[in-house]
């Protein structure tokens, strides 16, 4: 995504500016190590481009920046649940307004911290008190940490994901490894299947890999690089590509958009809203993804 040409609303430091894209404010980072953007709508990373690289993050050309819709592409924060086990799909974090709390920078990069607090609206959807933070560390790699804290006086349970859309040169020439063999196939009524540990996509995919390795790699022949995805705090890695028909069915994705993206997600998967990770009052949990190219 081209962040550099967007008009500046506020200059926060030499490296950090708030820019505006339609109705959405984006924290723009321009640093010797990388250019990156984080939308306050959704607490959503929209770009991460290390120096001398094409963007590692895919954004839809038709993403809707109206401050209401979830952005198609980037790294949606799916929380406090993953998928369609409740409404809205993937929780409310990705369509909520986050606050910029802090930004710090040095020679190695920039750290931006956003926060999301309960409101009347979130309470109507999910009646719990929480403090959610998104820590985005931009340097020679991108580290995104979703930290959720139970500030309620009762326990609550969540699932979720950092739903990263990765940018590839040509999906037919991108080989994914390290996601493990076992997966729950959303396209086969959640059947548990065994596959290989290497995959080149030729069709739509929507799988929850339950035993991923420490690092998942996407080797991209066209862009001559390998994307490395290292997750922490997850119980699975979701791989998703809607393919041609799926892309055509989405108003916010260009028809050929599926050819240059693959989602490799750091996921806490749960079959129902009552399952997942339970936090007692005062407890916190970190869900992390680290994305780099070699
Ligand atoms: O992570 C995969 C998935 O849950 C798919 O089932 C697919 O629908 C995708 O996310 C996108 O969901 P969205 O609600 O953003 O259209």
């Amino acid at each position: 995504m081209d962040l550099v040409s967007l008009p500046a609303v506020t200059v926060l430091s030499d490296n950090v500016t708030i820019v505006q894209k339609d109705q959405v404010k984006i924290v723009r980072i321009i640093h010797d190590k990388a250019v990156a953007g984080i939308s306050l709508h959704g607490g959503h990373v929209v770009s991460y481009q290390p120096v001398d690289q094409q963007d590692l993050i895919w954004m839809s050309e038709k993403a809707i920046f109206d401050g209401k819709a979830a952005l198609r592409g980037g790294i949606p924060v799916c929380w406090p649940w993953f998928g369609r086990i409740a409404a809205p799909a993937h929780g409310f974090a990705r369509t909520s307004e986050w606050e910029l709390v802090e930004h710090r920078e040095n020679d190695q990069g920039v750290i931006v911290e956003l926060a999301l607090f309960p409101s009347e609206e979130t309470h109507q959807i999910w009646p719990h008190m929480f403090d959610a933070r998104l820590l985005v560390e931009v340097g020679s790699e991108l580290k995104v940490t979703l930290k959720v804290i139970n500030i309620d006086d009762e326990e609550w349970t969540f699932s979720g994901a950092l739903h990263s859309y990765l940018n590839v040169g040509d999906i037919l020439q991108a080989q994914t490894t390290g996601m493990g063999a076992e997966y729950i196939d959303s396209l086969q009524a959640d059947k548990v299947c065994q596959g290989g540990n290497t995959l080149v996509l030729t069709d739509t995919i929507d799988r929850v890999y339950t035993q991923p390795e420490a690092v998942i790699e996407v080797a991209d022949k066209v862009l001559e690089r390998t994307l490395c995805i290292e997750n922490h705090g997850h119980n699975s890695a979701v791989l998703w590509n809607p393919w041609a028909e799926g892309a055509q069915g989405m108003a916010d994705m260009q028809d050929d958009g599926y050819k240059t993206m693959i989602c490799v997600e750091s996921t806490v998967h749960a079959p129902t809203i009552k399952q997942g990770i339970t936090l007692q009052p005062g407890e916190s949990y970190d869900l992390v993804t680290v994305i780099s190219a070699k």
Side-chain angles (χ1 to χ4, degrees):
M1 177 176 175
D2 174 25
L3 290 170
V4 176
S5 61
L6 291 176
V9 179
T10 317
V11 176
L12 297 173
S13 73
D14 288 351
N15 300 112
V16 185
T17 310
I18 306 279
V19 295
Q20 183 94 26
K21 166 89 176 155
D22 301 337
Q23 301 309 310
V24 169
K25 289 193 170 50
I26 297 172
V27 182
R28 179 179 66 190
I29 294 165
I30 300 181
H31 188 275
D32 288 347
K33 298 275 182 195
V35 172
I38 308 127
S39 157
L40 294 180
H41 176 66
H44 193 131
V45 174
V46 293
S47 171
Y48 168 64
Q49 188 169 13
V51 68
D52 297 334
Q53 285 276 347
Q54 287 204 29
D55 215 314
L56 271 56
I57 301 297
W58 182 91
M59 258 326 275
S60 171
E61 287 167 13
K62 293 173 79 179
I64 300 163
F65 288 83
D66 65 356
K68 294 185 185 116
L71 301 176
R72 178 69 60 199
I75 309 184
V77 176
C78 304
W79 195 82
W81 54 84
F82 174 78
R84 285 162 177 73
I85 57 177
H90 288 316
F92 53 74
R94 67 175 179 160
T95 49
S96 297
E97 278 311 296
W98 291 61
E99 289 172 28
L100 174 61
V101 176
E102 200 183 354
H103 59 93
R104 300 194 297 273
E105 52 235 65
N106 63 21
D107 292 353
Q108 296 311 306
V110 177
I111 300 180
V112 167
E113 182 178 340
L114 306 187
L116 176 66
F117 301 113
S119 62
E120 229 169 80
E121 222 178 321
T122 67
H123 215 261
Q124 273 177 17
I125 302 171
W126 195 67
H128 303 293
M129 295 298 287
F130 64 87
D131 177 334
R133 304 284 164 139
L134 194 78
L135 230 76
V136 183
E137 299 175 50
V138 174
S140 51
E141 56 183 29
L142 171 72
K143 181 174 182 187
V144 181
T145 304
L146 172 67
K147 179 186 275 300
V148 294
I149 311 163
N150 183 347
I151 57 166
D152 212 327
D153 46 20
E154 288 177 356
E155 66 174 36
W156 43 252
T157 298
F158 71 95
S159 57
L162 295 168
H163 191 303
S164 312
Y165 287 70
L166 304 174
N167 184 30
V168 294
D170 174 7
I171 192 67
L172 296 171
Q173 297 184 64
Q175 177 177 278
T176 306
T177 51
M179 65 288 183
E182 186 180 283
Y183 61 90
I184 301 166
D185 195 345
S186 307
L187 303 179
Q188 296 185 67
D190 288 344
K191 186 175 161 197
V192 178
C193 304
Q194 297 293 324
N197 195 26
T198 299
L199 194 66
V200 177
L201 297 189
T202 53
D203 205 347
T204 181
I205 185 175
D206 192 353
R207 297 178 180 174
V208 181
Y209 281 91
T210 53
Q211 293 160 4
E213 292 177 9
V215 179
I216 297 176
E217 293 193 345
V218 181
D220 181 337
K221 272 201 189 135
V222 173
L223 297 183
E224 296 178 330
R225 67 184 184 188
T226 295
L227 301 179
C228 305
I229 304 97
E230 184 188 323
N231 297 332
H232 301 279
H234 58 306
N235 64 9
S236 54
V238 168
L239 262 59
W240 178 62
N241 182 304
W243 221 252
E245 212 179 308
Q248 279 162 22
M250 280 183 273
D252 57 358
M253 189 187 267
Q254 69 270 27
D255 286 356
D256 63 355
Y258 75 97
K259 291 182 178 171
T260 53
M261 55 78 56
I262 180 169
C263 286
V264 179
E265 308 168 29
S266 181
T267 316
V268 174
H269 175 258
T272 70
I273 191 137
K274 301 236 178 292
Q275 291 161 284
I277 290 169
T278 300
L279 293 185
Q280 299 301 322
E283 286 184 341
S284 71
Y285 196 87
D286 287 1
L287 179 64
V288 180
T289 191
V290 183
I291 300 172
S292 60
K294 64 180 182 189

